[in-house]
Structure formats: structure tokens, C-alpha cells
Amino acid sequence: MYIMKCARGGSFSKGELQRFGNIELSPSAGVLNYGQGLFEGLKAFRKEDGNILLFRPQENALRLNIGAERMCMPSPTVAQFVEAVKATVLANKRWVPPPGKGSLYIRPLLMGSGAVLGLAPAPEYTFLIYVSPVGNYFKEGVTPINLVVEHELHRATPGGTGGVKTIGNYAAVLKAQSAAKAKGYSDVLYLDCVHKKYLEEVSSCNIFVVKDNVISTPAIKGTILPGITRKSIIDVARSQGFQVEERLVAVDELLEADEVFCTGTAVVVSPVGSITYKGRRVSYGEGGFGAVSQQLYTVLTRLQMGLIEDKMNWTAELN
């Protein structure tokens, strides 16, 4: 793993690679007491020629910078972030799965590691990266997910931290997610907390609704995480000739949708088989990808794996 440290008010110095293992933290560390932490997630893919591709690491770096400012944390520069990712991947290149067999998941973590007993920004910060090989998300073909709309608990509030990838956002979804899974659902779809009728996102994925070949997704307005896969799918869809709308999407629109799908680093594109809202279940498709989501999934994954020309200039190749 790769580690860099920084004092409050300073900047991150050059980091170093270390063998993966436990790290030591004070019980008073800011991240443990006040949740002052952010994380990112991205992947590396092996090409047929053996070289390795990173997918849009600069976007993760920029998102970390924005989140760090919101959480009163220093952050690595974009160049430092990208170089740290490259160094970590190259040091673990033997763990990148063969072409088409999965990817190397990369987890950057920024946290207030310094001791602080009173409520305040931590005096010291640690940035680290570790990795793990992961298989293809869909092992036995595509299994559409079944979502339930949550209308009492909320993932984020206006003015809060829903728009940044802070660690606390994810603990907040566990109660509703656990209850949904106990009832046989795959995950939870959240609504806005003001009107309780506009779609926001799933626990860790952005959501898209397709109607008459028009693709709609909730606009980024501070309560929704600006997913990098979300952004990429929007650009791919427009390049493929689809009309894409970023706007308020009412929950009632799910009832008439042709397709619904989610996007995220892990799944890339995940088709939604059904959504249940206030006891009413609406199903989509024939048990797999719809035509639109299949097309977008194919284009984006082939681009990530270097199987088609990268006209978007999104990938970085490591020799």
C-alpha cells in the first residue's frame, strides 16, 4: 500500500510504498471520533497485450479535492494522487486479473489521523491506497436487482455531505439497507428529504430511468454523489445518439419507465428488474439488460478494457 502524511495547514510530502498491514491510530484520531474521512474507488484492467489500464484517475483525484475542502481536510494534488495510484498498481501488478477475468480494485483513503479530543479538524492527515483483485461482478450472467423505495429514512439532506464521498454517508444507509435485504430486496432507492417524491440514488449507486429512448437521471444538486461512472455513462450515451436529461425525476416516473438501471464503480451498469414503492411492485425487462443499458454497458466496459479506441481520452496505460 502507498502512504502519505500531512500536518494541518501543510501539504502532502512524497509518499512511500509499504507492505500491506495494519496501521496504528490514536484512540483520539479525528477519523475515529468525528468521522473526518473520505474514500475513493477506481479500477485497473489488464489488456490483451499485458499492459494495464487505469480508468479516469484524474476524476477521482478532483472529487477527493472537492470532498476534502468540504470536510476541512488537506488533500493530495491531482498529480500526487495519480502518481500514487500508478505506483500502487505497478507494485501490485501481479494481482491484476487476466483480460476479461476481473480487475484490480483501488481504494484511496484520506483521513484525519491526528489526535483531537475536542470537536475540530485533526492536526494530522494520512492518505493511503490499497488494492484488491476482484472478479467480474456478473459471474453467472446478468442478475437484475430488485429495489425498494425508502420514504421515511433519508441518505442525505440539503447543505449536508451527500454530495461528497465521506465515510459517514455509507454508515447512514445501513439500517434501511439491512431491513430491505431481510425482506428479499437487493437494495434501497432513496427519495429527497424535502418533497419526498424525487429520486436521489441507491445506497452506493446512481440511478437512470429510460422512457422512449430518452435517458433521465437526477441532477447533481448537493445531495447526490457525482459518480464517475455516472458521468461516463452520460457522455457515452450522448456519443451514441441518446438524449440524456439531468433533472428532477419524480418517483411516479418509475411506474411508466421502459428501463431502469444503476451505475457505479463495482457494477459499471446494473439493470433493475423491479422497484417496489409503497407496496406496489413494478417490473422491467425479461430478466437481464434492457436494450439501452446493454448498449451502454458494452461500450463502456470495452473502453475500460482497451478493446475499442479510447476517443474520450479517459484511460491511462501503464507498461
Side-chain angles (χ1 to χ4, degrees), residues 7 89 118 127 192 210 217 259 264 313 315:
V89 171
F127 174 74
D192 77 289
V210 182
T217 192
E259 289 180 50
N313 197 28
T315 56

Side-chain angles (χ1 to χ4, degrees), residues 117-177:
L117 190 56
L119 179 57
E124 182 185 74
Y125 296 85
T126 297
F127 174 74
L128 62 85
I129 301 175
Y130 62 94
V131 298
S132 175
V134 293
N136 291 328
Y137 195 84
F138 300 120
K139 296 179 179 63
E140 304 296 335
V142 179
T143 303
I145 60 175
N146 299 302
L147 303 177
V148 60
V149 177
E150 175 60 52
H151 47 85
E152 293 182 0
L153 299 178
H154 296 281
R155 176 190 165 275
T157 59
T161 59
V164 299
K165 204 168 176 66
T166 180
I167 60 177
N169 291 350
Y170 296 84
V173 307
L174 296 178
K175 183 177 178 64
Q177 187 188 64

Side-chain angles (χ1 to χ4, degrees), residues 154-158 162 189-194 197-202 205-207 217-219 221-225 248-249:
H154 296 281
R155 176 190 165 275
T157 59
L189 172 58
Y190 292 91
L191 301 179
D192 77 289
C193 69
V194 177
K197 73 173 188 176
Y198 296 111
L199 305 185
E200 294 237 308
E201 61 181 270
V202 182
C205 297
N206 296 113
I207 192 158
T217 192
K221 60 184 190 304
T223 56
I224 297 171
L225 186 74
L248 290 173
V249 181

